């Protein structure tokens, strides 16, 4: 019996020793992935020494002797602290989450591949000005300097999360930063869901007064007769298409429900309204809960002076903050910048859709989604002249798309010449409210309310491109919240009569514009 007890004790002791060794080894590996803030690193890509000083709240103050060196330092600091966040956001906009998370994210990847935001971001690099291109390159060099340091010094996997979700990390590129801004546009947009919801309600309710009770119209009187949505498709088959769980329900999804697609608060006070006799500015740019928080505080030294405020890892710009002369704040504007088109598919040739000039072939491309622990999925992406064709599961589009039709999306964020990043980087160098307003004209998406103060002036401006809708249409292009524009029933093609031509807002201050629900009109809209 004593011999058995001895062996049991030995086995228990060995198990405890192995557990302790495993715990120590895990701690060692994970700790190697954590950044060392007290070191000197020799890197290539900077013109002079860059100092990153962290205060007692761990906010990095990046002191470079040139603007490029400061952006390099910001890229390095972002990669030190938020590498996992940056890589996950990049994979999201690329439609490559399933390579890490498996089958649960296939629907998300599928929709993002159809939007093709990353290709549009790469095309947008050429649209940036010289200063912005220099900043994007320097920032990417800073991120890649951290990746090189991790590989050269065997610093774990760069982030503790990488031990759980191990995946190769590609070098950072300027297009990645532009793509993350387009991802923010996805996260802050809810108009598509609004329009689908209104159309579904119109189909379900026979009494238009009841519909107005549930989804009230914008204040004021309508300027057009309001037909039933179903009347626009005479003889259409409205049989419901069975759908699985939508991609909006996954925590990794950037497609938010209406209640969570952006918010924020800001206020400014003129000198006459403040006890100190100066201007005041406050901003609460709250977004959804996440760990870590989407925002990252940082200070940069630029040739025009120091700037400090909130950045988003992966984007080399202080999006809300201040310099010695200017303060700026952003809130969601809820500008309606998305238009849905219901496109008729040729019943004799599913590769064609109806246009004003007859049938036309979809523009198509093949895309392969690699899935962890599963076989890959091959998609056929389709575009019409109006935009990408979306899956029926996206915000329940199948519920409002009659048989023999597909839904396509026109959206300002789908611009291949997106200069939003040039606007954001230029804003950090602005010295007056007027300079900031001039730079904001480069801003495309996501649309924001920009609140500005300098030493003497306050201003509020709606920034971002808005679709130029047809002023000759019965609706007169008004931004009514829930009006259905009148039009005779069509043979099978209905389109939202809001032309997706980019139109920059005039140089005046705006308050938030009410949301448009759904506009239906005869095609074409010219």
């Amino acid at each position: 019996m004593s011999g058995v007890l001895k062996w049991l004790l030995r086995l228990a002791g060995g198990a405890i020793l192995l557990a302790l060794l495993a715990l120590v080894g895990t701690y060692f590996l994970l700790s190697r992935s954590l950044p060392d803030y007290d070191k000197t690193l020799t890197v290539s890509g900077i013109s002079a020494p860059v100092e990153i000083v962290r205060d007692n709240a761990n906010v990095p103050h990046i002191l470079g002797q040139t603007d490029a060196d400061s952006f390099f330092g910001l890229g390095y600091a972002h990669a030190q602290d938020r590498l996992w966040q940056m890589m996950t956001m990049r994979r999201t906009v690329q439609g490559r989450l399933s390579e890490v998370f498996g089958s649960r994210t296939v629907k998300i990847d599928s929709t993002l591949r159809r939007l093709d935001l990353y290709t549009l971001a790469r095309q947008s690099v050429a649209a940036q000005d010289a200063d912005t291109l220099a900043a994007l390159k320097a920032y990417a060099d800073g991120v890649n300097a951290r990746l090189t340091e991790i590989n050269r010094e065997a610093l774990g996997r760069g982030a503790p999360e990488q031990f759980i979700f191990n995946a190769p990390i590609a070098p950072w590129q300027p297009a990645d930063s532009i793509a993350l801004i387009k991802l923010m546009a996805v996260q802050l947009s809810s108009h598509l869901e609004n329009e689908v919801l209104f159309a579904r309600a119109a189909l379900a309710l026979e009494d238009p007064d009841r519909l107005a009770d549930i989804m009230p119209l914008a204040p004021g009187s309508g300027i057009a007769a309001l037909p039933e949505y179903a009347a626009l498709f005479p003889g259409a088959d409205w049989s419901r298409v069975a759908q699985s769980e939508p991609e909006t329900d996954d925590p990794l999804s950037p497609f938010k429900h209406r209640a969570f697609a952006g918010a924020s608060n800001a206020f400014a006070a003129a000198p006459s309204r403040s006890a100190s006799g100066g201007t005041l500015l406050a901003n609460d740019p709250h977004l959804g809960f996440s760990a870590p928080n989407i925002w990252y505080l940082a200070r940069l030294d630029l040739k025009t002076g120091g700037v400090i405020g909130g950045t988003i890892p992966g984007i080399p710009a202080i999006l809300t903050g201040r310099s010695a002369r200017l303060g700026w704040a952003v809130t969601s504007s809820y500008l309606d910048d998305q238009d849905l088109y219901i496109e008729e598919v040729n019943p004799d040739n599913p590769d064609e859709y109806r246009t004003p000039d007859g049938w036309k072939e979809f523009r198509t491309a093949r895309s392969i989604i690699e899935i962890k622990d599963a076989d890959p999925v091959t998609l056929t992406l389709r575009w019409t002249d109006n935009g990408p064709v979306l899956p029926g599961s996206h915000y329940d589009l199948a519920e409002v798309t009659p048989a023999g039709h597909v839904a396509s999306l026109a959206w300002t964020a789908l611009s291949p010449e997106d200069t939003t990043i040039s606007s954001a980087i230029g804003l950090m160098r602005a010295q007056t409210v007027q300079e900031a307003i001039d730079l904001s004209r480069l801003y495309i998406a996501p649309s924001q309310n920009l609140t500005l103060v300098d030493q003497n002036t306050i201003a509020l401006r709606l920034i971002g491109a808005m679709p130029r809708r047809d002023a000759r249409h019965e609706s007169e292009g008004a931004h009514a919240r829930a009006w259905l524009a009148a039009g005779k029933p069509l043979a099978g093609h209905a389109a939202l009569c809001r032309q997706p031509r980019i139109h920059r807002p005039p140089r005046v201050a705006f308050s938030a514009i009410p949301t448009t629900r759904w506009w239906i009109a005869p095609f074409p809209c010219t």
Side-chain angles (χ1 to χ4, degrees):
M1 178 64 71
S2 61
V4 173
L5 289 176
K6 288 180 181 180
W7 276 108
L8 288 175
L9 289 174
R10 289 171 182 171
L11 290 174
I16 293 172
L17 180 60
L18 288 174
L20 288 174
L21 289 174
L23 184 63
V24 171
T26 301
Y27 174 79
F28 174 78
L29 292 174
L30 291 175
S31 64
R32 292 284 290 173
S33 297
L34 299 177
D36 181 1
Y37 297 134
D38 187 18
K39 69 184 296 185
T40 299
L41 184 67
T42 301
V43 299
S44 60
I46 55 177
S47 62
V50 177
E51 188 175 9
I52 302 177
V53 179
R54 296 184 180 258
D55 59 24
N56 57 7
N58 205 32
V59 174
H61 297 248
I62 301 163
L63 312 175
Q65 297 186 30
T66 67
D67 285 5
D69 289 351
S70 291
F71 285 115
F72 183 103
L74 179 64
Y76 180 84
H78 276 169
Q80 269 190 312
D81 296 337
R82 302 287 188 89
L83 185 62
W84 170 250
Q85 178 185 358
M86 293 168 64
M87 298 305 128
T88 303
M89 292 172 67
R90 181 171 66 173
R91 282 188 174 275
T92 301
V93 73
Q94 290 175 332
R96 295 178 56 210
L97 287 173
S98 300
E99 296 176 13
V100 177
F101 298 102
S103 299
R104 61 175 283 196
T105 56
V106 170
K107 289 183 180 294
I108 301 171
D109 286 345
S110 173
T111 303
L112 284 161
R113 294 283 181 99
R114 297 179 196 280
L115 293 175
D116 204 21
L117 295 176
Y118 193 73
T119 297
L120 296 169
R122 288 189 297 180
Q123 294 171 349
S124 295
V125 172
Q128 313 309 318
D129 58 50
D131 288 341
T132 301
L133 288 174
L136 289 170
K137 183 181 183 306
Y139 178 85
D141 289 344
V143 175
N144 294 331
R146 173 60 178 169
L147 297 180
T148 299
E149 176 192 10
I150 292 167
N151 292 329
R152 184 178 63 239
E153 300 182 15
L155 300 180
R157 290 176 176 166
E161 297 91 341
Q162 287 286 124
F163 284 92
I164 302 173
F165 303 102
N166 184 28
I169 299 177
W172 197 263
Q173 301 179 45
D176 297 340
S177 296
I178 299 175
L180 294 196
I181 294 181
K182 289 185 177 292
L183 179 63
M184 293 302 298
V186 172
Q187 295 170 327
L188 297 177
S189 296
S190 62
H191 304 293
L192 193 155
E193 183 184 22
N194 287 343
E195 294 181 355
V196 173
L197 181 61
F198 189 82
R200 291 178 66 192
L203 290 170
L205 298 173
E206 296 181 359
D207 184 358
D209 294 333
R210 181 59 175 158
L211 179 61
D213 287 339
I214 296 175
M215 304 182 73
L217 302 178
S221 301
I223 59 176
L226 307 182
E228 295 182 7
Y229 177 64
L232 296 169
F233 304 91
D237 179 9
W238 289 101
S239 58
R240 298 295 181 255
V241 178
Q243 299 296 328
S244 55
E245 289 298 316
E247 68 270 36
T248 51
D249 293 339
D250 194 289
L252 291 169
S253 174
F255 304 107
K256 307 301 181 184
H257 288 293
R258 291 180 302 147
F260 302 102
S264 305
N265 307 293
F267 78 84
S272 62
R273 298 287 185 174
S274 71
S276 65
T279 54
L280 297 175
L281 175 66
N283 187 203
D284 172 22
H286 55 268
L287 297 172
F289 289 116
S290 64
N293 191 298
I294 185 65
W295 293 104
Y296 180 102
L297 296 178
R299 177 197 165 194
L300 292 175
D301 255 11
L302 303 176
K303 62 183 179 183
T304 51
V307 290
I308 188 170
T311 69
I312 292 178
I315 302 174
I318 290 176
L319 300 174
T320 174
R322 64 175 176 84
S323 64
R325 296 181 176 274
L326 183 74
W328 59 98
V330 292
T331 63
S332 296
S333 73
Y334 299 102
L335 172 71
D336 185 7
D337 53 11
Q338 293 181 321
D339 295 326
L340 272 175
Y341 289 80
I342 306 301
E343 315 262 12
E344 181 186 6
V345 178
N346 186 347
D348 299 320
N349 184 354
D351 296 329
E352 295 180 340
Y353 66 99
R354 186 186 295 279
T355 75
D357 301 318
W359 300 112
K360 184 176 182 178
E361 284 193 2
F362 290 97
R363 180 167 66 88
T364 62
R366 306 280 279 184
S367 184
I368 299 175
I369 299 177
E370 300 289 343
I371 306 171
K372 180 183 178 183
D373 300 328
D375 294 333
V377 172
T378 301
L379 302 176
T380 298
L381 313 181
R382 295 188 293 175
W383 292 265
T384 71
D385 290 341
N386 299 313
V389 174
L390 299 180
S393 60
H394 191 54
Y395 290 123
D396 295 319
L397 273 170
E399 295 286 328
V400 298
T401 306
H405 294 71
V406 294
S408 64
L409 176 68
W411 182 23
T412 55
L414 300 178
S415 169
E417 298 179 350
D418 191 339
T419 52
T420 301
I421 189 66
S422 288
S423 177
I425 291 176
L427 188 62
M428 294 190 292
R429 300 185 174 109
Q431 301 295 299
T432 66
V433 164
Q434 188 57 56
E435 286 184 31
I437 289 175
D438 292 340
L439 287 163
S440 70
R441 296 177 67 83
L442 297 172
Y443 200 96
I444 302 296
S447 176
Q448 300 281 288
N449 288 314
L450 177 65
T451 307
L452 298 162
V453 304
D454 57 24
Q455 295 182 0
N456 304 301
T457 309
I458 67 173
L460 173 64
R461 176 177 170 79
L462 174 68
I463 61 174
M466 64 176 69
R468 178 176 291 163
R469 278 104 188 194
D470 185 6
R472 293 172 296 172
H473 185 258
E474 290 177 351
S475 67
E476 298 182 355
H479 290 268
R481 183 169 180 264
W483 297 342
L484 292 178
K488 64 180 180 180
L490 304 175
H493 186 115
L496 299 181
C497 188
R498 298 182 295 190
Q499 295 290 57
R501 298 189 298 271
I502 287 178
H503 172 62
R504 304 189 193 284
R507 292 175 56 182
V508 295
F510 286 89
S511 59
I513 294 177
T515 302
T516 304
R517 292 290 187 183
W518 193 282
W519 295 77
I520 302 293
F523 192 90
C525 302
T526 58

